[in-house]
Amino acid sequence: MTTPLVEMDGDEMTRILWKMIKDELLLPYIDLKTEYYDLGLEYRNETNDQVTIDSAEATKKHGVAVKCATITPNAARMTEYNLKEMWKSPNGTIRAALDGTVFRAPILIKGIVPYVNNWSKPITIARHAYGDVYKNVEIKVPGAGKAELVFIGADGTEIRETIHEFKGSGILQGIHNTDESITSFAKACFNYALDTKQDLWFATKDTISKKYDHNFKDIFQGIYDAQYKDKFERAGIEYFYTLIDDAVARVIRSEGGFIWACKNYDGDVMSDMVATAYGDLSMMTSVLVSPSGVYEYEAAHGTVQRHYYKYLKGEETSTNSIATIFAWTGALRKRGELDGIRELQEFADKLEKACIKTVEDGKMTKSLALISTCENPVILNSLEFIRAIRETYDSL
Ligand code: NAP
Ligand code: MG
């Protein structure tokens, strides 16, 4: 390796897996170069969360990061870790710093059959992560009265629209988005489609929302026509816009193998739907891509807290490390691509193959065995599973 990966360590069970993966699957095989940031909650607290900001800055500088799952503190964590403050979600901080879009895709394995049986390829969900209902302002209307939408320009000019003349009590909501954020989202989607050579689908409800949703559609189309049309044609891929309800029907009938760009709320709902339909949360990968082409790879699942408490009590755990291994392979492959190191890309490909073959050969962790169609799966504990992958790797 020439450029280091930005390594973001994390919390609980995934922190345990992190070390096992490095010791068993990475360090014996590659000359691993990383710039290490400890995003474990204790150290975030000690540094007043500065370490998270530093890790995001390092990612901008080096271009590729790999992240372990981290705790987003809540009231219970405040006491558990004796926190100075309820620190923000590291993922939120990193996403804001990189102005990034998150792409999530399932890892497909024979024997884990999606509920939608014509889905033979992964569907990647790209979720816009700014605005709409997630930054809303709401009013509970107490009784009769008039609601207006008012914009006051920096120069004092006003735009007014009547929302509703209430005859009795009701509810009101104000939402917004910015052209800048939608533009970043669109560019990240177009770049990722080119990067992974997959078609890009985008859908909103522009027939009903003639200005708000239409603006999303227009920005996507404008950027596509001006900057990506030729590149897409050369790559043999397609950009396709449709209405959200039409998209849902087409997605179910499809065989997969494309990127589905979603507005914030649609992405929230559809990513859980797609993840569940493919079988298992522990098999979802996630990558944050900035419009400038910076990448941060991670597993889509959390720190697997319940397993960690068992581990602390000395009980056996059977935690699936595949999505975390794929975070490493994704990052190593991208690093290899950017630095022109073919061996690193080949290592990533081979390690992924070893993960898949291990499960297809019937060796897996407990949650996979529960949904696998494999006849007599051998259920392994967390470390045994990683060692089984190593054995498969050595046999390839
Ligand atoms: P979780 O860690 O994703 O785990 C939820 C449940 O899903 C687990 O209890 C386990 O079910 C199953 N599961 C998830 N990953 C698995 C794996 N690799 N192998 C086997 N089973 C797996 O979510 P959570 O328990 O709601 O959250 C725990 C912590 O993670 C929270 O503090 C949260 O803030 C954090 N979190 C972080 C991220 C991130 O960093 N990207 C994302 C989500 C959540 P069973 O217990 O039934 O076996
Ligand atoms: Mg959700």
Side-chain angles (χ1 to χ4, degrees):
M1 292 180 68
T2 45
T3 319
L5 281 182
V6 175
E7 174 184 354
M8 303 171 177
D9 207 345
D11 288 299
E12 299 195 310
M13 199 59 212
T14 41
R15 188 181 180 97
I16 308 297
L17 298 179
W18 196 258
K19 186 168 187 312
M20 290 179 187
I21 292 167
K22 283 177 72 179
D23 289 346
E24 297 285 333
L25 299 174
L26 303 176
L27 295 171
Y29 297 98
I30 56 173
D31 168 27
L32 182 67
K33 229 188 200 173
T34 73
E35 196 170 294
Y36 181 86
Y37 292 86
D38 185 358
L39 266 53
L41 187 50
E42 276 168 24
Y43 195 63
R44 271 184 277 148
N45 190 50
E46 211 177 299
T47 62
N48 298 329
D49 210 24
Q50 186 60 39
V51 65
T52 308
I53 296 159
D54 292 346
S55 73
E57 288 307 315
T59 305
K60 281 192 205 164
K61 179 173 159 213
H62 294 303
V64 187
V66 57
K67 181 180 170 291
C68 178
T70 46
I71 293 169
T72 298
N74 55 15
R77 301 298 197 169
M78 292 290 290
T79 18
E80 185 183 354
Y81 285 84
N82 193 16
L83 300 180
K84 295 185 234 173
E85 246 180 68
M86 204 184 285
W87 306 111
K88 285 193 226 157
S89 146
N91 289 60
T93 303
I94 297 163
R95 196 165 61 210
L98 301 184
D99 187 19
T101 297
V102 173
F103 296 82
R104 281 183 164 198
I107 301 157
L108 299 197
I109 284 187
K110 281 194 212 95
I112 314 282
V113 185
Y115 287 95
V116 182
N117 55 29
N118 42 289
W119 286 359
S120 56
K121 297 178 196 163
I123 294 170
T124 303
I125 298 260
R127 174 180 170 187
H128 184 211
Y130 177 81
D132 303 350
V133 72
Y134 299 86
K135 284 238 185 285
N136 66 0
V137 178
E138 299 184 325
I139 296 175
K140 201 157 161 33
V141 175
K146 182 178 172 185
E148 287 188 319
L149 194 58
V150 184
F151 171 78
I152 304 162
D155 63 356
T157 48
E158 276 186 21
I159 307 174
R160 256 167 210 276
E161 289 282 348
T162 299
I163 299 171
H164 191 63
E165 306 253 7
F166 283 90
K167 298 205 169 55
S169 57
I171 39 175
L172 265 173
Q173 180 180 66
I175 60 170
H176 79 278
N177 224 300
T178 67
D179 286 357
E180 190 186 8
S181 175
I182 300 166
T183 300
S184 293
F185 174 51
K187 285 187 179 167
C189 290
F190 289 127
N191 285 338
Y192 197 67
L194 283 170
D195 219 31
T196 58
K197 295 217 171 22
Q198 297 184 90
D199 289 347
L200 176 67
W201 297 16
F202 181 45
T204 71
K205 194 70 183 174
D206 65 289
T207 46
I208 298 297
S209 172
K210 290 182 170 41
K211 290 197 177 118
Y212 197 103
D213 276 17
H214 216 286
N215 190 51
F216 279 82
K217 178 184 176 180
D218 286 346
I219 288 179
F220 266 70
Q221 195 63 48
I223 293 172
Y224 177 72
D225 290 342
Q227 299 173 36
Y228 291 94
K229 200 166 186 295
D230 295 344
K231 292 180 196 156
F232 267 51
E233 279 166 9
R234 259 180 275 133
I237 57 172
E238 192 187 16
Y239 168 59
F240 169 67
Y241 177 86
T242 187
L243 284 171
I244 185 75
D245 31 356
D246 179 51
V248 169
R250 284 170 186 264
V251 163
I252 295 296
R253 283 197 303 265
S254 78
E255 58 170 26
F258 54 89
I259 299 164
W260 183 10
C262 293
K263 284 178 62 197
N264 211 347
Y265 175 80
D266 298 338
D268 187 351
V269 177
M270 293 307 165
S271 64
D272 277 2
M273 194 271 285
V274 168
T276 307
Y278 272 106
D280 198 303
L281 180 63
S282 67
M283 295 295 279
M284 287 295 283
T285 63
S286 180
V287 55
L288 176 76
V289 183
S290 84
S292 61
V294 166
Y295 295 77
E296 180 247 305
Y297 293 83
E298 62 182 306
H301 61 75
T303 60
V304 213
Q305 180 182 17
R306 220 175 56 84
H307 294 212
Y308 181 59
Y309 290 162
K310 279 174 77 178
Y311 170 88
L312 286 182
K313 279 193 263 170
E315 290 170 28
E316 189 160 85
T317 60
S318 181
T319 315
N320 183 0
S321 47
I322 287 190
T324 304
I325 297 172
F326 271 62
W328 276 102
T329 51
L332 290 167
R333 183 185 298 107
K334 178 54 72 181
R335 196 67 270 168
E337 274 169 37
L338 294 176
D339 295 346
I341 307 170
R342 202 168 39 85
E343 294 90 331
L344 205 53
Q345 300 172 52
E346 285 168 359
F347 170 74
D349 292 344
K350 190 173 162 189
L351 185 51
E352 288 181 0
K353 226 180 262 166
C355 290
I356 291 170
K357 189 173 183 321
T358 305
V359 177
E360 291 182 350
D361 286 349
K363 285 170 259 176
M364 59 194 84
T365 46
K366 198 170 157 197
S367 69
L368 284 184
L370 289 174
I371 56 168
S372 172
T373 57
C374 169
E375 294 266 310
N376 295 304
V378 181
I379 298 177
L380 302 175
N381 70 33
S382 305
L383 181 60
E384 284 168 353
F385 181 59
I386 287 172
R387 292 211 166 126
I389 293 168
R390 182 172 180 172
E391 234 170 75
T392 312
Y393 180 93
D394 288 337
S395 75
L396 288 175

